[in-house]
Amino acid sequence: MIVDALKDASPATVAVLLDVLGERGDRSAARTVAGYADNADADVRLAAVEALGKIGGEAEVELLIGRAVAADGAEREAARKSLSTLRGDKVDGVILKALDSADGARRRELIQAVWGRRIAAAKPKLLALAGSSEEADRIAVMNALERLADQNDLPKVVEMLSKATSDAERQAGEQTILSVCRRAGDGEAATGPVVAAMAKSEPRGQVVLLKALGRLQTPGALAAVRKAMQSDDAQVKAAAAAALKEFKPLRVTRWQFAGPFREEGKGPQELFDVAFAPEKEPGGAGFRPLPPRATRDDGVIDLARMPGATSNCCAYLRVTVESVQKQDVILSVGSDDGIKIWLNGQVVHASNVTRGLECDKEQARVTLNEGANVLLVKVTQGGAEWSLCLGVKSPDGGPPEGVRFEAR
């Protein structure tokens, strides 16, 4: 019997035998294995704690919580993992009951167990602990809510975030909000509570909430951030400016293209200054719709997927930019390789380079007329990858208002 063999074995052998007992899933051996969880040998303790995660039940909750509190490193992580995998209908109830009277590190490990096991019934207890005077408790609660909270809990989460006192607590709150939104598939649902909290918060709380709005990336969040730009408080205004920079440019993904074009013996940097038909006669250069397969989910245009793509050539892309008003915007550009841009027939940006793609590497400030504006882009190609990433944003850093693109 393996249990009998444990009695006179060396520590190294005991560790192996404990692992075997765990792998066999023999739950009758749980009490024996638990006796080694406080052994003087670190490897034996680790093996016992790991095995209990496979064969233990509600009787081992207290032991594993104790090891998670007392140990560190691999042993603490093993205790936490084993708590998350303990089997039995009563395990969650034991954890919840223990949470009622726990404090300090023990409380936090129980909250960690709630997180690991996704104990939905613990949510009222967690929300009750949200006002703890200990920051470590509040962070533990927020981390657990990251898995358990839903849209109905967002006002409480936002309230916690607005009162955060450290970067770690703020980051936990922001992550919880984003996780809830991802599960719900509705970022606007989270925007409302955050905006409402903005109106009630002191400037310090508004600074925290503005960062969350920048990460939400919704129209409502954008409006709130732009409103905060008018604040008389310097810190709030600076936070709003930083949040605006988090918003992604409005990517151009609908293009017409012409080409590729090439000349014998010329590479990409020589072709950069050669005026092909789209530069001379834009209306009669044979533009056609860009194949859907050339547009990636992140808004990058993969020109290597364009018909006829090859090395030492160039191509042109064209889009009509409709603007509801005359306005200044920023073209945010990345290309592989060189790029030249015309707006309504005038060159507004040029980089004759050989490089890999880095989205938003270069910026060009231009003025859109009210109505239709024609954007023409030339991208050169030496070899290997060939791509373009072009977006439009407002001078304040956020997406432009009243702008849309048509491939015509």
Side-chain angles (χ1 to χ4, degrees):
M1 293 285 292
I2 295 176
V3 171
D4 293 333
L6 286 167
K7 297 176 182 177
D8 299 318
S10 66
T13 302
V14 169
V16 172
L17 293 175
L18 291 172
D19 183 61
V20 171
L21 286 171
E23 291 300 325
R24 289 180 58 178
D26 186 356
R27 300 190 69 177
S28 66
R31 180 172 296 182
T32 299
V33 173
Y36 290 89
D38 60 354
N39 192 273
D41 186 274
D43 290 337
V44 171
R45 292 197 306 272
L46 181 61
V49 168
E50 290 177 338
L52 287 175
K54 301 168 185 174
I55 63 176
E58 64 269 15
E60 283 66 52
V61 169
E62 288 296 333
L63 185 153
L64 290 172
I65 290 294
R67 294 316 304 159
V69 172
D72 55 18
E75 191 176 339
R76 171 177 287 173
E77 292 307 311
R80 289 174 172 176
K81 182 177 179 181
S82 289
L83 280 163
S84 72
T85 57
L86 285 176
R87 292 180 291 176
D89 296 336
K90 298 180 180 180
V91 172
D92 289 356
V94 171
I95 291 172
L96 291 176
K97 184 176 181 180
L99 188 57
D100 288 335
S101 58
D103 58 13
R106 176 178 162 79
R107 172 192 284 174
R108 291 188 283 276
E109 288 301 333
L110 285 163
I111 295 173
Q112 174 73 25
V114 166
W115 176 90
R117 298 181 67 84
R118 289 182 166 89
I119 305 176
K123 192 163 62 172
K125 297 178 184 291
L126 295 177
L127 293 173
L129 291 171
S132 171
S133 60
E134 295 188 44
E135 181 186 292
D137 285 354
R138 299 195 301 273
I139 292 174
V141 166
M142 194 70 86
N143 287 337
L145 290 174
E146 189 266 336
R147 282 189 170 181
L148 299 176
D150 58 31
Q151 287 173 278
N152 294 326
D153 303 313
L154 281 172
K156 183 64 176 180
V157 174
V158 169
E159 179 186 348
M160 293 174 64
L161 176 59
S162 68
K163 296 177 181 179
T165 59
S166 71
D167 287 343
E169 192 173 357
R170 285 187 282 270
Q171 289 169 5
E174 291 163 13
Q175 186 57 48
T176 297
I177 290 172
L178 292 175
S179 294
V180 171
C181 294
R182 278 196 293 267
R183 286 195 295 273
D186 186 2
E188 281 293 353
T191 301
V194 178
V195 173
M198 281 281 292
K200 301 175 184 177
S201 297
E202 296 296 320
R204 186 178 68 173
Q206 291 180 8
V207 168
V208 175
L209 294 169
L210 281 165
K211 189 172 182 180
L213 288 170
R215 296 184 68 183
L216 284 171
Q217 300 276 308
T218 63
L222 178 61
V225 171
R226 283 189 164 140
K227 182 178 179 180
M229 285 290 293
Q230 309 305 315
S231 173
D232 294 331
D233 187 280
Q235 289 186 324
V236 171
K237 194 168 184 176
L244 277 173
K245 292 180 181 178
E246 293 294 319
F247 284 83
K248 297 177 182 178
L250 188 60
R251 297 291 184 201
V252 185
T253 58
R254 301 178 64 188
W255 296 92
Q256 290 183 316
F257 80 97
F261 300 92
R262 58 184 61 80
E263 280 194 4
E264 187 67 29
K266 291 186 178 181
Q269 292 188 299
E270 291 81 14
L271 294 171
F272 188 84
D273 292 319
V274 176
F276 292 98
E279 297 182 42
K280 299 175 181 178
E281 305 174 31
F287 279 95
R288 53 203 188 277
L290 191 70
R293 68 177 185 275
T295 303
R296 294 185 349 204
D297 291 342
D298 58 2
V300 172
I301 307 302
D302 188 352
L303 296 172
R305 291 179 174 267
M306 185 175 63
T310 183
S311 58
N312 295 319
C313 63
C314 65
Y316 294 82
L317 296 99
R318 183 177 66 184
V319 68
T320 298
V321 184
E322 292 280 353
S323 177
V324 296
Q325 61 186 355
K326 184 175 182 179
Q327 61 178 311
D328 289 343
V329 297
I330 305 294
L331 301 182
S332 188
V333 183
S335 64
D336 179 353
D337 290 307
I339 185 168
K340 186 181 290 188
I341 304 175
W342 294 259
L343 178 63
N344 297 326
Q346 301 296 315
V347 176
V348 294
H349 181 73
S351 290
N352 188 4
V353 293
T354 301
R355 63 185 177 194
L357 178 69
E358 182 181 342
C359 284
D360 308 316
K361 181 176 179 61
E362 298 172 336
Q363 315 283 313
R365 184 164 183 149
V366 301
T367 300
L368 296 177
N369 296 324
E370 181 181 352
N373 299 264
V374 177
L375 195 67
L376 178 68
V377 180
K378 178 180 185 177
V379 186
T380 59
Q381 161 71 335
E385 296 181 355
W386 188 19
S387 51
L388 166 70
C389 184
L390 190 148
V392 180
K393 60 183 182 179
S394 293
D396 65 9
E401 296 181 343
V403 171
R404 61 186 178 88
F405 310 111
E406 294 186 7
R408 67 176 192 237

